[in-house]
């Protein structure tokens, strides 16, 4: 959600910032802008649109250092040239880029207008530029600190002062800020992807911190002025891992990476000797795990849906009552936190604001929470302090694919672990280990059917509405299938529990409204066949995702996956639906990696 990048050092900041913006564009992409200091003046360029549009409006010989740049996902004010960041004060001395929302922006704006300030945009961020300029103080740091004391809301902030080009001031409250440490040069970004080309050594700011970043280092402190101690982390992701390689879209590349990504999630975690899994990062003893009476999973979007699958796995294998809830709903309903419940926060990015707030709510009330996260060192991972990294590698496409599959795999490992501490027998443990080991190859076999799935997608692409239905663990698979399709292809798709179809949505089944049925060969197979009959009786086209074997009813399209262990089947059943969404989007000419109105990492409420 909005990308921030900054540079201070001997080099010209412009190419570093523009290249950094390309890396960050998946965070938000409705407008972009850049500011650099040169010869005692601020030079800025900004526009509505993508980073490539910004590159067109950046004048020749636009050079300087330090510099800051931004790619935006609009909160206050529509995407437009004038609402694009950076925002400047009236004297064009201060430049600000900002992620987050200033909640008292309207009141501050009225106050500043009363003092004669003429605003140039509708954004909350412009308030900050004028406010910082109006503050007393010798240094930029003091001015920013004074301004932030008047502000309520969330921010990830980078500020330049034309008259003090020896530093960039950054601050964090609810929106991530990372410092990259180079050799006599420093980088600033909203996530490390923008920095890895230049440095692997990073420092994450914490909420309530502010830092003065100079070419030769940084000093961090609280808003009250107390110095803070920071720990350096090393980023393991390489710059190349963010590239599309030979693929036309990141989404397609990330679908393809799933066999290796799942191998990485499983790596070193299977313990065939004791028919269990080894999860060092959860840092809980067998005794503590045995005391758990309930599990509650929290996440947003695909992470929430992966959590639904995870809760079912835990309930099946460990016989612990488990449920999942959107993190945003959870945090707002004053939840009861139970001491013997294990809370699990799921987040690919580790930065989703609502998930982070839910974790903080659990911790504040004394609950135990662990994270299932992809990005090492991210805010949620640090806030939880323990958990499971899925090690899926960078996911750049806005829609989740490989991280969904890897999160479900991580849940299977956790469920196996919790199960083996309880009643799951060694034989059952061995069965699941064999099933998990087989997954990467089985995933590869599903992906090899792409041409057939693309054929079905061309039929589906003509529809305006589609239903996805499934029963029990097939229902989250249907939910994720529908979410993928609507996010990436804009085809209106709704998921329903198969049994609920006749309680309402059947009214909408018609020859032009296809239904995709998740149809594993399990105990519920006959029930799902009855659902298909109900749809066919209303002349609704039916596509199924299923296992090998004859179908007792005619259908309009079949996607097949290999049979795994019943508990692991949902992981494979979801894969054809990713390819289906991708090819429908391709057929409809959509911007696959950057769907309209969405962002990869939602760091605002
Ligand atoms: C956004 C993305 C979704 C993602 C969700 C949660 O809405 O568009 O694809 O599932 O955030 O993200 P997280 O990083 O917490 O998994």
């Amino acid at each position: 959600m909005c990308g921030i990048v900054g540079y201070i050092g001997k080099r010209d900041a412009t190419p570093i910032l523009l290249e950094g913006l390309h890396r960050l564009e998946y965070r938000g992409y409705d407008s972009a802008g850049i500011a650099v200091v040169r010869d005692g003046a601020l030079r800025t360029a900004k526009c509505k649109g993508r980073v490539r549009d910004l590159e067109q409006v950046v004048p020749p010989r636009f050079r300087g250092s330090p510099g800051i740049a931004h790619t935006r996902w609009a909160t206050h004010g529509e995407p437009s040239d004038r609402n694009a960041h950076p925002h400047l004060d009236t004297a064009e001395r201060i430049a600000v880029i900002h992620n987050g929302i200033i909640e008292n922006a309207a009141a501050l704006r009225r106050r500043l207008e009363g003092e004669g300030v003429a605003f140039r945009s509708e954004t909350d961020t412009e308030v900050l530029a004028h406010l910082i300029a109006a503050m007393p103080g010798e240094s930029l740091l003091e001015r920013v600190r004074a301004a932030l004391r008047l502000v309520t809301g969330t921010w990830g902030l980078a500020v330049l002062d034309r008259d003090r080009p020896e530093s960039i001031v950054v601050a964090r409250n609810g929106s991530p800020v990372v410092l990259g440490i180079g050799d006599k040069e420093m980088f600033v970004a909203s996530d490390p992807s923008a920095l890895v080309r230049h440095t692997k050594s990073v420092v994450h700011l914490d909420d309530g911190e502010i830092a003065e970043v100079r070419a030769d280092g940084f000093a961090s402190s609280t808003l009250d002025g107390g110095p803070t101690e920071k720990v350096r982390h090393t980023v393991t992701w390489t710059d190349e891992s963010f590239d599309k390689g030979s693929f036309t879209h990141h989404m397609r590349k990330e679908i393809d990476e799933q066999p290796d990504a799942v191998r990485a999630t499983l790596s070193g975690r299977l313990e065939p000797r004791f028919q269990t899994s080894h999860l060092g990062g959860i840092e809980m003893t067998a005794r503590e795990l045995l005391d758990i009476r309930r599990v509650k999973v929290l996440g947003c979007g695909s992470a929430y849906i992966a959590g639904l699958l995870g809760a079912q796995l835990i309930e099946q294998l460990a016989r612990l009552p488990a449920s999942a809830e959107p993190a945003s709903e959870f945090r707002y309903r004053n939840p009861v936190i139970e001491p013997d419940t294990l809370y699990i926060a799921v987040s690919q990015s580790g930065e989703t604001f609502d998930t982070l707030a839910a974790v903080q709510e659990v911790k504040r009330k004394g609950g135990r929470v662990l994270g299932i996260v992809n990005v090492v060192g991210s805010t949620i991972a640090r806030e939880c302090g323990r958990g499971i990294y899925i090690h899926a590698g960078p996911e750049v496409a806005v829609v989740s694919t490989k991280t969904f599959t890897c999160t479900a795999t991580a849940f299977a490992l956790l469920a196996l672990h919790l199960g083996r501490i309880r009643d799951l027998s060694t034989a059952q443990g061995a069965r699941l280990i064999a099933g998990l080991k087989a997954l990467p190859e089985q995933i590869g076999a599903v992906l090899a059917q792409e041409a057939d799935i693309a054929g079905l997608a061309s039929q589906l692409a003509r529809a305006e509405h589609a239903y996805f239905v499934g029963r029990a663990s097939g229902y989250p698979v249907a939910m994720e299938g529908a979410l993928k399709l609507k996010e990436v292809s804009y085809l209106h798709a709704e998921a329903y529990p198969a049994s609920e179809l006749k309680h309402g949505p059947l009214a909408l089944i018609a020859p032009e409204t296809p239904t995709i049925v998740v149809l594993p060969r399990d105990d519920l197979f006959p029930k799902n066949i009855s659902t298909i009959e109900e749809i066919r009786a209303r002349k609704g086209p039916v596509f199924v995702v299923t296992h090998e074997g004859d179908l007792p009813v005619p259908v309009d399209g079949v996607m097949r996956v290999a049979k795994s262990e019943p508990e692991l089947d949902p992981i494979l059943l979801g894969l054809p639906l990713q390819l289906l969404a991708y090819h429908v989007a391709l057929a409809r000419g959509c911007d696959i990696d950057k769907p309209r109105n969405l962002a990869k990492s939602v760091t605002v409420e």
Side-chain angles (χ1 to χ4, degrees):
M1 182 119 314
C2 298
I4 281 181
V5 60
Y7 172 80
I8 184 161
K10 280 207 191 70
R11 290 194 273 167
D12 172 22
T14 308
I16 297 169
L17 298 178
L18 290 173
E19 187 263 330
L21 283 187
H22 278 294
R23 280 278 178 262
L24 292 173
E25 210 175 11
Y26 70 101
R27 296 181 71 96
Y29 34 83
D30 60 42
S31 39
I34 182 169
V36 295
V37 181
R38 184 162 190 212
D39 300 333
L42 268 179
R43 306 198 69 195
T44 60
K46 56 185 190 171
C47 67
K48 180 182 170 182
R50 301 285 166 89
V51 177
R52 59 172 183 263
D53 301 310
L54 175 66
E55 283 168 334
Q56 299 306 312
V57 302
V58 170
R61 291 188 295 283
F62 186 99
R63 298 168 62 83
S65 173
I68 54 176
H70 189 261
T71 172
R72 180 169 187 246
W73 185 89
T75 55
H76 278 56
E78 56 165 15
S80 66
D81 290 355
R82 64 203 190 95
N83 285 340
H85 300 209
H87 289 284
L88 310 184
D89 67 316
T90 311
E92 305 200 344
R93 173 179 171 181
I94 303 289
V96 178
I97 54 175
H98 166 227
N99 286 354
I101 296 176
I102 303 303
E103 285 163 9
N104 58 342
L108 291 169
R109 189 180 176 114
R110 275 196 302 275
R111 182 180 131 183
L112 288 159
E113 280 171 340
E115 291 165 10
V117 172
F119 277 77
R120 304 184 189 103
S121 77
E122 293 128 44
T123 64
D124 51 344
T125 303
E126 192 184 345
V127 166
L128 288 173
H130 295 295
L131 205 57
I132 293 166
M135 289 296 116
E138 271 305 293
S139 65
L140 179 62
L141 181 72
E142 283 168 43
R143 288 162 160 237
V144 177
R145 198 181 262 143
L148 289 178
R149 288 205 200 103
L150 303 177
V151 165
T152 55
T154 55
W155 56 82
L157 201 64
V159 188
L160 282 186
D161 180 345
R162 175 194 71 190
D163 297 343
R164 298 289 172 109
E166 63 279 0
S167 71
I168 302 175
V169 170
V170 295
R172 173 192 165 130
N173 192 40
S175 276
V177 175
V178 187
L179 310 183
I181 300 164
D183 181 15
K184 298 194 187 64
E185 56 184 3
M186 288 284 293
F187 305 84
V188 166
S190 44
D191 76 64
S193 61
L195 311 176
V196 288
R197 172 166 290 189
H198 307 287
T199 178
K200 293 279 162 50
S201 182
V202 301
V203 164
H204 297 268
L205 287 197
D206 289 307
D207 280 348
E209 271 186 316
I210 184 164
E212 187 177 49
V213 182
R214 294 165 177 269
D216 59 357
F218 71 96
S220 63
S221 53
T222 62
L223 282 189
D224 298 330
T228 52
E229 288 285 317
K230 302 308 295 174
V231 180
R232 284 191 194 197
H233 292 270
T234 304
V235 184
T236 51
W237 291 351
T238 62
D239 190 43
E240 298 73 51
S241 54
F242 291 89
D243 288 338
K244 282 202 287 258
S246 57
F247 291 90
T248 37
H249 298 98
H250 283 286
M251 180 184 180
R252 181 64 193 80
K253 175 182 175 238
E254 286 155 10
I255 289 174
D256 211 67
E257 285 172 343
Q258 290 179 105
D260 283 342
V262 166
R263 266 186 209 106
T265 305
L266 294 174
S267 175
R269 287 169 166 167
L270 294 175
E271 282 248 32
R273 201 167 138 226
F274 299 110
Q275 294 85 24
T276 186
S277 63
H278 172 74
L279 297 167
I282 61 176
E283 290 176 10
M284 288 173 78
T285 62
R287 185 57 206 242
E288 286 172 318
L289 291 170
L290 201 55
D291 286 343
I292 296 166
R293 290 281 159 268
R294 204 181 297 277
V295 174
K296 179 78 164 184
V297 189
L298 304 165
C300 298
S302 294
Y304 157 61
I305 299 174
L308 285 171
L309 275 182
Q312 294 201 3
L313 272 161
I314 290 168
E315 202 154 289
Q316 284 166 350
L317 297 179
R319 301 308 298 155
L320 274 168
S323 60
E325 185 175 341
S328 48
E329 289 296 306
F330 176 84
R331 59 177 284 231
Y332 283 124
R333 67 174 173 78
N334 190 20
V336 175
I337 303 297
E338 298 164 308
D340 50 5
T341 294
L342 176 65
Y343 296 86
I344 303 176
V346 180
S347 178
Q348 182 286 127
S349 61
E351 302 294 350
T352 299
F353 189 89
D354 283 325
T355 310
L356 176 64
V359 170
Q360 288 166 339
E361 178 76 0
V362 171
K363 282 179 67 181
R364 199 179 55 76
K365 291 180 166 172
R368 249 180 320 197
V369 58
L370 59 87
I372 298 186
V373 172
N374 190 33
V375 180
V376 175
S378 55
T379 309
I380 291 171
R382 286 181 294 128
E383 187 75 44
C384 292
R386 56 185 165 190
I388 307 172
Y389 280 123
I390 61 173
H391 299 307
E395 191 176 68
V396 177
V398 165
V399 296
S400 291
T401 52
K402 64 174 177 173
T403 59
F404 180 86
T405 305
C406 291
T407 301
T409 306
F411 268 116
L413 288 168
L414 180 63
L416 171 62
H417 194 71
L418 292 171
R420 288 287 293 119
I421 284 170
R422 293 178 169 73
D423 296 336
L424 198 72
S425 67
T426 50
Q428 295 286 359
R431 173 178 72 78
L432 285 153
I433 287 184
L436 285 165
K437 275 188 180 160
L439 277 181
E441 229 165 273
Q442 290 175 317
I443 293 172
V446 177
L447 303 184
Q449 299 165 42
E450 180 170 10
D452 296 341
I453 297 171
L456 298 184
S458 62
Q459 294 176 49
L460 194 63
R462 291 190 287 270
E464 280 311 311
H465 310 277
Y467 276 102
F468 284 70
V469 299
R471 279 186 161 77
S473 59
Y475 177 47
V477 175
M479 286 174 78
E480 178 62 6
L483 181 65
K484 277 301 71 93
L485 188 65
K486 75 182 121 196
E487 278 181 308
V488 80
S489 78
Y490 316 142
L491 196 156
H492 170 224
E494 251 189 277
Y496 245 82
S499 50
E500 283 287 301
L501 200 66
K502 56 185 168 299
H503 297 297
L506 208 52
L508 295 171
I509 296 296
E512 62 281 2
T513 303
T515 304
I516 292 88
V517 182
V518 182
L519 182 65
R521 292 218 170 239
D522 58 11
D523 301 351
L524 299 172
F525 186 78
K527 304 260 177 241
N528 282 321
I529 294 296
S530 304
T531 301
I532 293 174
E533 294 286 19
E534 287 164 13
I535 299 165
R536 280 176 37 79
R538 276 82 190 174
K539 302 207 168 11
V542 174
F543 298 80
V544 296
V545 52
T546 187
H547 294 122
E548 291 302 330
D550 293 337
L551 294 175
V553 283
V555 294
D556 301 273
V558 183
M559 295 162 274
R560 292 197 193 270
V561 305
K563 186 82 187 77
S564 177
E565 297 305 322
E567 300 87 343
L568 306 177
D569 276 336
I571 298 176
L572 295 172
L573 288 161
L575 300 167
L577 303 184
Q578 298 175 347
L579 283 170
L580 190 70
Y582 175 77
H583 281 284
V584 171
L586 206 58
R588 289 164 72 109
C590 299
D591 189 349
I592 291 180
D593 285 335
K594 297 187 180 74
R596 70 181 176 217
N597 304 340
L598 300 181
K600 180 75 181 156
S601 167
V602 181
T603 54
V604 291
E605 270 181 278

